[in-house]
Amino acid sequence: MSRSDLSIAIQSSENSAFLMSHGNVDYLRKMIILNSMLKGFLGGIHLLENKFTENLAIEVMPAPKRVYIPLSQHAGKSAKPVVQKDDFVKIGTKIGESEGFISASVHASISGKVLDIKQHPHPVLASAECCIIESDETEDWAAGMKEKHDYENLPKEELLSIIKDAGIVGLGGAAFPTHVKLSPPPDKPIEYLLINGCECEPRLTADHRLMLEYPIGIIEGAKLFQQILDTKHLIFCIEDNKKEAAKIFINENEEVRVLKTKYPQGAEKQLIKAVLNRTVPRGGLPMDVGCVVQNVGTCYAAFQAVKFRKPLIDRVVTVTGDGVKESKNLLIRIGTSAIDVVNFCGGFVDQPKRIIFGGPMMGISQYAEDVPIIKGTSGILVSKEVSSYEEGPCVRCGCCVDVCPMGLMPTEIYKLVKNKKFLKSKDYGVLDCIECGCCAYGCPSKIPLVHYLKYGKNEVWRLSKK
Amino acid sequence: MKDLLIVSASPHISGRLDISLAMKAVILALLPALMFSVYIFGWRALLVTVITIVSCMISEAIMQRMLGKKITLDDGSAVLTGILLAFNLPPGVPLWLPIVGSVFAIVFAKQLFGGLGYNFINPALAGRAFLMTSWPSFMTKEWLIPTGSTLSGIDSITSATPLTLLKNPANFGPPEVIIQRLNEMATIKNLFIGKVGGCLGETSALLLLIGGLFLIIIGIVDYRIVTGYLVSFGILAFVLPTKANLPFHLFSGGLFLGVFFMATDWVTSPVTKKGRWIFGIGCGVLTAVIRIWGGYPEGVSYSILLMNVFTPLIDRFTKERIFGEKKKGVKL
Ligand code: SF4
Ligand code: SF4
């Protein structure tokens, strides 16, 4: 929209002060960078950030009594269980082996006894097979872990297999297995590795805190990715509501791009457009334009995996909302149930009305309190008050069309989906929707557009499988 | 038994704008013009407006009741239709006329098509067009003389609208004199402020402009339609053969009312960005053509109505470009 374009233009002069990077960036490239920033990405919205927890240091939540570790926490195939009921496991013991290439291993996050492997509420899949482990409170680590390893001279295949073995997936939310992203086909050379520190969802501050408190680990992890991908450029992309974090990376002599805060900046395609002014083709992947995007949390996890052989067994989660006594940024073991986390934060304020895993824009509301934290969980939002809206008629205001960062026409698509014209909705690009929620956020008739679009997507997939 | 958790679709937060807020904002933006109208035309202007509002609301409620739908008077759309219809009527009309117009607007142009969001033409304009064709004499003669107005010495005939004067100057006196007066600075000033004869709410270009800009700033009115309309109309009014100058054309008649409040009606204008440019430009061209060559002195409402009809087509041919799409894939 015009106003946002304008504000980007104004902001960019300020941004140029942040364009410092290491000395070898020549003037010309700086100009190109500046130019690309003027463009930004089209659509998107400005949200109230409400990042109340940004000044709270990350606390370590002690291991819970019991964890529920889903075997599927990632995009792709579910892992195959490699432990059985009544087996004893230690922290870091592999309990699920990745099946096929697009899959990820799963590890025990506490030491103790496997109580059962059975269906349990899952934050994304509603219900899925989970390995339930009861703690023996010894906190023993599996062999070979927590020791420092030299990794500078490891060949790239070795690094990749360590990352794969550690079950590293994208921690930004989509949980795409990292080793897959790091193995582009040889005909797609990667020029740019973008490290995504945008955290554009309101309220979430997990990535922000990680950048403030563990920048060196993130940088090391990013360098590992750079080594594996053999890219020339490594750029840290941070929104201007996190200038402190940006400064740290600039002081470490890394190339940093400070972006005007706008939702959904952290979406891969929008980020690439905003930073490099490259447009990922429709239906394509970032590697089609020579880019790979990795989240800061993923970098940190990969660094720990390579340096300490520590698999992905915990992650930083922002716990906030008016329904929880104390808001916190917590380092939580994977598989910890939401109720345990809330209790660690002082408990519920009142009878909770809604628990969301993720941010307010793209998060998923949960139906059970014992649903576990998984690798892709970036936040837990508890509300004691929920305003509900009644869906009105579409008044064709065009707000949704204006804000859609993917250039879709949500108003047309939702009508097609509602009338079950799924194939036509595919022509209108239902599959291109990134479910960012901008359209539904601004809709004056409060139509749950994302709900219709998701439904349409599923139906299109189902029809095309037939 | 514990309360169940609420499971709702993302996003879990929502913007503050809803339909009734938007309608209220538009009504607010129209209020200055309404007050000015009362000032120049007297209390009758307010009476006509109240009649249209009340009859629009009653028709809406009765229709929704009969069609077995939820009664949605609180969304404010009926009130807005009422005000807009009143704004398009001569202030001196017999008082039954606004009632007929309101009923037509709500019943035929809106509810029978399915209510808010489904009507393809602007109800207020449809109501006006209906009255115009059925009772042309009332709709073109019942002008009131604006208080304290002076159209540079042609006071005796100011009850005729400036555009009527321009169209048929000979009916009112020596044509050359009248045309010359119309182009005088003093006339333009009165036109801009609104101290001229005309429809109830259309006279004050200034106040409508303020209201319109307010709506653009808060993001309810789309600048593309407004700009497309004004610029294309302005260019044509400048280059086409007409006896009046450009400011006269811009500030006279219902242009600003049409540009800011009728053409930009959400329901009846395109949803795509490119479509809105086309829509605005189309309105501008049609208005200029009707004004300069057409049989009517005024062309705003017919142009907008005509473009309303084309809106679905425009939407279809101006699909947005999907992110990363190579060339425009217009598939019908
Ligand atoms: S959710 Fe989908 S349709 Fe809606 S704005 Fe985001 S990308 Fe566009
Ligand atoms: S934002 Fe809502 S009301 Fe407006 S066009 Fe889109 S779907 Fe319709």
Side-chain angles (χ1 to χ4, degrees):
Chain A
M1 275 182 2
S2 63
R3 243 175 303 141
S4 42
D5 292 346
L6 189 68
S7 49
I8 288 174
I10 296 165
Q11 192 70 30
S12 67
S13 53
E14 197 181 320
N15 282 342
S16 58
F18 278 85
L19 274 176
M20 295 172 277
S21 47
H22 37 143
N24 54 16
V25 178
D26 53 48
Y27 178 69
L28 191 70
R29 240 190 74 220
K30 266 193 188 169
M31 287 318 290
I32 296 169
I33 293 163
L34 190 65
N35 188 30
S36 73
M37 275 207 332
L38 288 170
K39 295 214 168 67
F41 65 95
L42 283 177
I45 48 179
H46 299 277
L47 294 166
L48 271 183
E49 289 156 23
N50 290 339
K51 301 213 182 228
F52 308 123
T53 50
E54 63 183 352
N55 294 322
L56 303 176
I58 298 171
E59 267 179 71
V60 180
M61 177 178 162
K65 290 262 150 13
R66 190 179 278 194
V67 289
Y68 310 83
I69 304 176
L71 290 162
S72 175
Q73 306 185 25
H74 44 261
K77 270 205 166 149
S78 170
K80 191 172 78 216
V82 290
V83 289
Q84 280 165 357
K85 199 174 162 179
D86 298 331
D87 279 1
F88 282 90
V89 293
K90 298 193 165 160
I91 303 178
T93 307
K94 194 179 271 181
I95 55 176
E97 180 69 71
S98 63
E99 276 250 283
F101 188 56
I102 304 185
S103 178
S105 304
V106 177
H107 303 78
S109 57
I110 57 175
S111 64
K113 193 171 109 182
V114 177
L115 287 184
D116 206 349
I117 298 178
K118 63 165 192 189
Q119 292 285 320
H120 184 81
H122 184 286
V124 181
L125 307 172
S127 172
E129 209 163 52
C130 291
C131 178
I132 304 171
I133 303 170
E134 188 162 63
S135 170
D136 59 10
E137 298 186 15
T138 57
E139 291 284 273
D140 283 339
W141 283 77
M145 288 184 191
K146 293 201 91 176
E147 292 156 23
K148 278 193 191 163
H149 294 260
D150 276 338
Y151 58 90
E152 270 80 21
N153 300 319
L154 288 180
K156 116 184 196 190
E157 291 72 27
E158 177 100 27
L159 288 173
L160 261 181
S161 88
I162 295 173
I163 290 173
K164 179 165 188 242
D165 239 25
I168 310 288
V169 301
L171 296 187
F176 196 77
T178 300
H179 64 271
V180 182
K181 250 187 171 181
L182 293 175
S183 321
D187 61 326
K188 306 261 183 208
I190 304 298
E191 269 177 273
Y192 286 94
L193 171 61
L194 304 184
I195 304 303
N196 187 350
C198 291
E199 200 166 50
C200 54
E201 276 265 12
R203 287 177 162 261
L204 302 188
T205 54
D207 285 352
H208 186 190
R209 289 312 307 181
L210 199 68
M211 286 193 282
L212 290 176
E213 295 177 42
Y214 302 96
I216 305 301
I218 295 172
I219 292 172
E220 289 294 308
K223 294 252 160 85
L224 276 171
F225 292 160
Q226 190 182 17
Q227 196 182 329
I228 294 170
L229 288 166
D230 200 17
T231 67
K232 196 153 151 240
H233 306 289
L234 166 66
I235 305 173
F236 290 84
C237 312
I238 303 171
E239 283 194 332
D240 64 359
N241 56 359
K242 296 180 266 294
K243 286 202 174 110
E244 286 305 311
K247 272 188 196 135
I248 294 177
F249 286 86
I250 291 167
N251 290 339
E252 292 294 330
N253 272 334
E254 294 304 325
E255 190 171 344
V256 174
R257 222 48 70 73
V258 179
L259 300 152
K260 171 86 189 113
T261 302
K262 183 175 168 189
Y263 182 85
Q265 190 94 252
E268 278 188 349
K269 293 181 178 180
Q270 277 63 36
L271 186 68
I272 294 168
K273 178 82 177 96
V275 174
L276 301 169
N277 198 22
R278 294 186 179 187
T279 305
V280 179
R282 198 179 161 195
L285 290 169
M287 65 182 179
D288 295 330
V289 291
C291 297
V292 165
V293 181
Q294 292 286 2
N295 168 272
V296 286
T298 318
C299 293
Y300 188 64
F303 160 71
Q304 287 188 312
V306 174
K307 179 132 193 189
F308 302 108
R309 298 289 187 271
K310 180 192 155 204
L312 183 49
I313 53 134
D314 51 12
R315 66 156 298 147
V316 183
V317 178
T318 301
V319 187
T320 185
D322 60 4
V324 57
K325 286 242 171 67
E326 254 182 282
S327 292
K328 284 180 195 291
N329 293 302
L330 285 178
L331 184 71
I332 305 180
R333 304 284 170 97
I334 305 293
T336 308
S337 68
I339 185 81
D340 283 346
V341 176
V342 171
N343 284 338
F344 182 72
C345 295
F348 292 117
V349 170
D350 206 345
Q351 181 66 42
K353 284 270 166 56
R354 186 167 64 191
I355 299 178
I356 298 166
F357 269 36
M361 291 298 284
M362 291 182 72
I364 300 174
S365 56
Q366 305 298 329
Y367 65 93
E369 286 173 4
D370 57 352
V371 59
I373 309 299
I374 60 170
K375 293 174 182 175
T377 309
S378 45
I380 302 180
L381 308 177
V382 187
S383 345
K384 66 174 164 50
E385 225 66 75
V386 176
S387 37
S388 64
Y389 305 102
E390 205 177 318
E391 176 180 339
C394 171
V395 290
R396 298 176 38 83
C397 64
C399 297
C400 52
V401 183
D402 280 345
V403 298
C404 177
M406 294 306 289
L408 306 179
M409 297 166 66
T411 163
E412 299 290 338
I413 301 178
Y414 111 86
K415 283 174 200 159
L416 291 171
V417 169
K418 231 178 156 172
N419 294 326
K420 306 221 183 287
K421 296 196 176 127
F422 300 115
L423 286 179
K424 190 134 187 239
S425 79
K426 195 177 163 194
D427 289 344
Y428 274 81
V430 70
L431 295 183
D432 292 79
C433 171
I434 57 171
E435 298 170 18
C436 65
C438 292
C439 50
Y441 176 86
C443 175
S445 277
K446 310 291 171 201
I447 300 168
L449 293 163
V450 181
H451 167 78
Y452 286 112
L453 282 149
K454 280 186 187 170
Y455 170 57
K457 258 188 191 182
N458 285 333
E459 288 301 303
V460 171
W461 276 327
R462 207 173 51 85
L463 289 174
S464 59
K465 264 191 212 134
K466 267 189 197 162
Chain B
M1 180 63 200
K2 287 213 292 184
D3 287 349
L4 292 177
L5 292 171
I6 295 172
V7 180
S8 51
S10 65
H12 306 285
I13 48 177
S14 165
R16 239 170 309 151
L17 184 68
D18 60 21
I19 294 178
S20 92
L21 187 68
M23 296 289 172
K24 279 181 201 142
V26 180
I27 293 169
L28 183 73
L30 286 167
L31 277 186
L34 178 61
M35 292 193 287
F36 187 77
S37 177
V38 176
Y39 163 66
I40 57 167
F41 296 125
W43 291 108
R44 196 176 172 90
L46 189 63
L47 184 63
V48 171
T49 312
V50 170
I51 290 177
T52 53
I53 294 177
V54 172
S55 18
C56 277
M57 290 176 74
I58 294 176
S59 326
E60 174 120 324
I62 293 180
M63 274 312 276
Q64 287 182 329
R65 188 71 180 270
M66 275 168 39
L67 296 170
K69 284 195 274 189
K70 201 175 147 246
I71 294 179
T72 54
L73 286 180
D74 54 345
D75 69 13
S77 65
V79 178
L80 183 59
T81 302
I83 298 182
L84 285 175
L85 178 62
F87 272 34
N88 276 295
L89 297 176
V93 287
L95 295 179
W96 54 268
L97 204 70
I99 302 181
V100 177
S102 306
V103 172
F104 182 86
I106 296 290
V107 174
F108 290 96
K110 186 177 173 192
Q111 286 300 339
L112 285 185
F113 284 103
L116 182 66
Y118 299 96
N119 51 304
F120 73 99
I121 48 175
N122 186 319
L125 284 179
R128 174 191 151 102
F130 170 71
L131 297 179
M132 198 77 170
T133 35
S134 312
W135 293 278
S137 54
F138 290 131
M139 288 296 287
T140 49
K141 296 237 165 57
E142 305 291 341
W143 312 114
L144 291 187
I145 299 174
T147 334
S149 154
T150 113
L151 251 188
S152 331
I154 34 178
D155 278 310
S156 56
I157 46 164
T158 41
S159 64
T161 69
L163 282 173
T164 323
L165 288 174
L166 180 67
K167 195 101 215 168
N168 305 308
N171 296 357
F172 303 94
E176 307 78 41
V177 182
I178 289 190
I179 296 297
Q180 189 209 341
R181 292 266 162 79
L182 288 181
N183 283 314
E184 273 168 10
M185 199 50 214
T187 314
I188 303 295
K189 209 179 106 203
N190 276 338
L191 276 173
F192 186 59
I193 297 171
K195 288 170 137 187
V196 287
C199 284
L200 195 150
E202 71 179 17
T203 59
S204 176
L206 172 67
L207 294 177
L208 292 169
L209 180 71
I210 293 173
L213 289 179
F214 162 72
L215 291 181
I216 291 180
I217 289 167
I218 63 171
I220 287 180
V221 157
D222 185 71
Y223 72 93
R224 298 178 187 90
I225 295 178
V226 171
T227 320
Y229 199 152
L230 284 178
V231 170
S232 63
F233 176 81
I235 292 174
L236 285 186
F238 190 70
V239 298
L240 291 181
T242 164
K243 292 186 217 97
N245 57 18
L246 181 61
F248 176 89
H249 272 295
L250 282 179
F251 303 146
S252 62
L255 187 72
F256 276 27
L257 181 62
V259 168
F260 288 104
F261 295 94
M262 316 280 256
T264 55
D265 173 33
W266 281 349
V267 180
T268 52
S269 60
V271 293
T272 62
K273 292 167 215 155
K274 218 191 279 165
R276 292 191 209 141
W277 282 114
I278 296 173
F279 182 88
I281 293 170
C283 288
V285 171
L286 285 173
T287 307
V289 167
I290 296 179
R291 262 199 200 178
I292 291 163
W293 286 311
Y296 292 101
E298 173 65 301
V300 172
S301 46
Y302 285 114
S303 330
I304 298 175
L305 278 176
L306 203 61
M307 290 309 289
N308 284 168
V309 176
F310 283 116
T311 293
L313 211 64
I314 297 176
D315 264 345
R316 200 131 43 106
F317 282 102
T318 56
K319 277 210 281 182
E320 293 288 319
R321 187 204 205 95
I322 297 177
F323 188 96
E325 197 173 33
K326 288 242 175 53
K327 56 177 177 42
K328 289 273 329 174
V330 188
K331 247 197 225 162
L332 297 178

